[in-house]
Protein backbone atom coordinates (compact mmCIF):
# COMPACT_ATOMS: atom_id res chain seq x y z
CA UNK A 1 0.00 0.00 0.00
CA UNK A 2 1.36 3.40 -0.86
CA UNK A 3 -1.28 5.62 0.73
CA UNK A 4 -2.75 5.98 4.18
CA UNK A 5 -6.52 5.74 4.52
CA UNK A 6 -8.74 7.43 7.08
CA UNK A 7 -12.31 6.19 7.55
CA UNK A 8 -14.48 8.48 9.63
CA UNK A 9 -17.54 6.90 11.32
CA UNK A 10 -19.92 8.20 8.64
CA UNK A 11 -17.81 6.40 6.00
CA UNK A 12 -18.00 3.02 7.75
CA UNK A 13 -20.69 0.55 6.74
CA UNK A 14 -22.80 -1.11 9.44
CA UNK A 15 -24.58 -4.34 8.65
CA UNK A 16 -27.36 -6.16 10.47
CA UNK A 17 -25.90 -9.52 11.42
CA UNK A 18 -26.79 -12.65 13.39
CA UNK A 19 -29.49 -12.52 16.07
CA UNK A 20 -30.03 -8.76 15.72
CA UNK A 21 -26.37 -7.91 16.22
CA UNK A 22 -24.40 -5.55 13.98
CA UNK A 23 -21.08 -5.76 12.19
CA UNK A 24 -19.39 -2.53 11.17
CA UNK A 25 -16.88 -2.64 8.33
CA UNK A 26 -14.27 -0.18 9.60
CA UNK A 27 -11.68 -0.88 6.88
CA UNK A 28 -12.10 -3.18 3.91
CA UNK A 29 -9.89 -4.50 1.13
CA UNK A 30 -10.55 -1.49 -1.06
CA UNK A 31 -9.24 0.82 1.68
CA UNK A 32 -6.24 -1.38 2.53
CA UNK A 33 -5.21 -2.55 -0.95
CA UNK A 34 -6.31 -6.08 -0.02
CA UNK A 35 -4.08 -6.25 3.04
CA UNK A 36 -6.67 -6.55 5.80
CA UNK A 37 -10.22 -6.12 6.99
CA UNK A 38 -11.07 -4.45 10.29
CA UNK A 39 -14.56 -4.82 11.69
CA UNK A 40 -16.45 -4.37 14.92
CA UNK A 41 -19.32 -6.43 16.28
CA UNK A 42 -21.97 -5.15 18.70
CA UNK A 43 -23.67 -8.29 19.99
CA UNK A 44 -25.98 -9.52 22.72
CA UNK A 45 -26.02 -12.43 25.13
CA UNK A 46 -25.85 -15.89 23.53
CA UNK A 47 -24.85 -14.56 20.10
CA UNK A 48 -22.82 -17.34 18.50
CA UNK A 49 -21.81 -18.00 14.91
CA UNK A 50 -21.69 -21.56 13.61
CA UNK A 51 -18.54 -23.50 14.49
CA UNK A 52 -16.33 -22.74 11.50
CA UNK A 53 -12.88 -22.13 10.07
CA UNK A 54 -11.37 -19.67 7.64
CA UNK A 55 -9.41 -21.02 4.67
CA UNK A 56 -8.23 -17.71 3.24
CA UNK A 57 -7.34 -15.41 6.13
CA UNK A 58 -5.91 -15.30 9.62
CA UNK A 59 -8.15 -13.62 12.18
CA UNK A 60 -7.61 -11.68 15.37
CA UNK A 61 -10.46 -11.02 17.82
CA UNK A 62 -10.27 -8.61 20.73
CA UNK A 63 -13.10 -8.55 23.23
CA UNK A 64 -13.29 -4.84 24.02
CA UNK A 65 -16.25 -5.23 26.35
CA UNK A 66 -18.05 -8.26 27.72
CA UNK A 67 -17.30 -11.95 28.23
CA UNK A 68 -17.45 -15.00 25.99
CA UNK A 69 -16.75 -18.69 25.77
CA UNK A 70 -14.32 -19.55 23.00
CA UNK A 71 -13.69 -22.88 21.29
CA UNK A 72 -10.45 -23.60 19.45
CA UNK A 73 -10.92 -27.06 18.03
CA UNK A 74 -12.36 -29.02 20.94
CA UNK A 75 -10.69 -26.88 23.60
CA UNK A 76 -13.06 -24.51 25.45
CA UNK A 77 -11.85 -21.43 27.30
CA UNK A 78 -13.17 -18.15 28.64
CA UNK A 79 -12.39 -14.87 26.93
CA UNK A 80 -12.63 -11.91 29.29
CA UNK A 81 -12.87 -8.20 28.65
CA UNK A 82 -9.67 -6.99 27.03
CA UNK A 83 -8.71 -10.52 25.95
CA UNK A 84 -7.37 -11.10 22.47
CA UNK A 85 -7.03 -14.26 20.40
CA UNK A 86 -5.11 -15.01 17.21
CA UNK A 87 -6.80 -17.55 14.91
CA UNK A 88 -4.61 -18.76 12.03
CA UNK A 89 -6.50 -19.94 8.96
CA UNK A 90 -7.71 -23.55 9.01
CA UNK A 91 -8.18 -23.59 12.82
CA UNK A 92 -11.78 -24.60 13.70
CA UNK A 93 -13.30 -22.11 16.15
CA UNK A 94 -16.42 -20.53 17.53
CA UNK A 95 -17.60 -18.40 20.41
CA UNK A 96 -20.67 -17.65 22.48
CA UNK A 97 -21.25 -14.33 24.25
CA UNK A 98 -21.92 -14.84 27.96
CA UNK A 99 -22.36 -11.21 29.05
CA UNK A 100 -25.52 -9.18 28.37
CA UNK A 101 -23.73 -7.32 25.55
CA UNK A 102 -20.29 -7.43 23.99
CA UNK A 103 -18.11 -5.30 21.76
CA UNK A 104 -15.65 -7.26 19.59
CA UNK A 105 -12.93 -5.96 17.29
CA UNK A 106 -11.96 -8.24 14.40
CA UNK A 107 -8.92 -7.98 12.15
CA UNK A 108 -8.49 -10.40 9.25
CA UNK A 109 -5.57 -10.62 6.87
CA UNK A 110 -5.64 -10.60 3.94
CA UNK A 111 -8.91 -8.79 3.33
CA UNK A 112 -11.98 -10.35 1.75
CA UNK A 113 -14.02 -11.60 4.69
CA UNK A 114 -16.06 -8.39 4.55
CA UNK A 115 -17.72 -9.90 1.46
CA UNK A 116 -19.25 -12.64 3.60
CA UNK A 117 -20.86 -10.09 5.92
CA UNK A 118 -22.07 -7.95 3.02
CA UNK A 119 -23.47 -10.98 1.16
CA UNK A 120 -25.46 -12.42 4.07
CA UNK A 121 -26.08 -9.27 6.13
CA UNK A 122 -28.02 -6.10 5.43
CA UNK A 123 -26.78 -2.50 5.33
CA UNK A 124 -28.71 -0.77 8.13
CA UNK A 125 -29.00 2.45 6.10
CA UNK A 126 -31.36 0.68 3.68
CA UNK A 127 -35.01 -0.13 4.38
CA UNK A 128 -35.34 -3.43 6.21
CA UNK A 129 -37.43 -5.96 4.27
CA UNK A 130 -40.10 -7.53 6.47
CA UNK A 131 -38.84 -11.00 5.62
CA UNK A 132 -35.13 -10.27 6.16
CA UNK A 133 -33.29 -13.11 7.88
CA UNK A 134 -29.82 -14.56 7.78
CA UNK A 135 -30.91 -18.12 7.19
CA UNK A 136 -28.55 -21.09 7.52
CA UNK A 137 -28.78 -21.41 3.73
CA UNK A 138 -27.79 -17.77 3.14
CA UNK A 139 -24.92 -18.07 5.62
CA UNK A 140 -23.73 -21.29 3.95
CA UNK A 141 -23.85 -19.62 0.54
CA UNK A 142 -21.85 -16.61 1.77
CA UNK A 143 -19.40 -18.90 3.56
CA UNK A 144 -18.72 -20.90 0.41
CA UNK A 145 -18.21 -17.75 -1.66
CA UNK A 146 -15.70 -16.27 0.81
CA UNK A 147 -13.62 -19.26 1.91
CA UNK A 148 -15.32 -20.11 5.18
CA UNK A 149 -16.17 -23.69 6.13
CA UNK A 150 -19.15 -24.21 8.44
CA UNK A 151 -18.27 -27.25 10.57
CA UNK A 152 -21.33 -27.40 12.77
CA UNK A 153 -23.97 -25.49 14.68
CA UNK A 154 -23.12 -22.79 17.22
CA UNK A 155 -21.75 -24.09 20.48
Amino acid sequence: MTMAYLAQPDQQQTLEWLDGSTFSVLLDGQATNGQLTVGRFAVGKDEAPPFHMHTLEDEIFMLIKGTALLWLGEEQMELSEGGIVYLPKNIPHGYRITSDTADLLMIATPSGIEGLFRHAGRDITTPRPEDFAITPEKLAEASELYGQVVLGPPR
Side-chain angles (χ1 to χ4, degrees):
M1 183 189 314
T2 58
M3 294 181 61
Y5 185 87
L6 172 67
Q8 297 289 2
D10 64 347
Q11 297 168 296
Q12 299 164 6
Q13 182 183 33
T14 299
L15 304 165
E16 182 176 351
W17 192 237
L18 299 173
D19 302 322
S21 65
T22 60
F23 177 74
S24 296
V25 181
L26 307 180
L27 292 171
D28 63 11
Q30 184 176 351
T32 66
N33 197 32
Q35 297 299 302
L36 58 91
T37 299
V38 180
R40 193 166 181 178
F41 292 92
V43 297
K45 188 173 183 77
D46 290 327
E47 193 272 341
F51 192 64
H52 66 284
M53 69 178 182
H54 307 261
T55 64
L56 303 176
E57 64 276 321
D58 295 336
E59 182 179 34
I60 298 166
F61 261 106
M62 180 177 186
L63 189 56
I64 297 170
K65 187 173 186 172
T67 57
L69 291 175
L70 177 68
W71 288 269
L72 301 176
E74 294 306 312
E75 186 178 354
Q76 178 184 318
M77 58 199 73
E78 290 186 31
L79 185 62
S80 58
E81 196 165 293
I84 189 166
V85 61
Y86 169 62
L87 300 163
K89 65 183 171 185
N90 299 317
I91 299 292
H93 62 278
Y95 66 84
R96 179 172 297 280
I97 301 302
T98 55
S99 53
D100 288 338
T101 61
D103 183 2
L104 297 139
L105 182 69
M106 181 207 73
I107 301 169
T109 183
S111 68
I113 195 170
E114 66 272 19
L116 175 141
F117 296 103
R118 288 174 171 153
H119 186 86
R122 181 191 68 81
D123 189 313
I124 65 167
T125 64
T126 63
R128 187 179 198 279
E130 285 185 33
D131 63 345
F132 175 78
I134 300 175
T135 63
E137 295 79 20
K138 186 71 168 179
L139 189 56
E141 176 183 274
S143 294
E144 185 174 327
L145 288 170
Y146 294 96
Q148 313 303 304
V149 178
V150 175
L151 299 169
R155 296 203 168 179

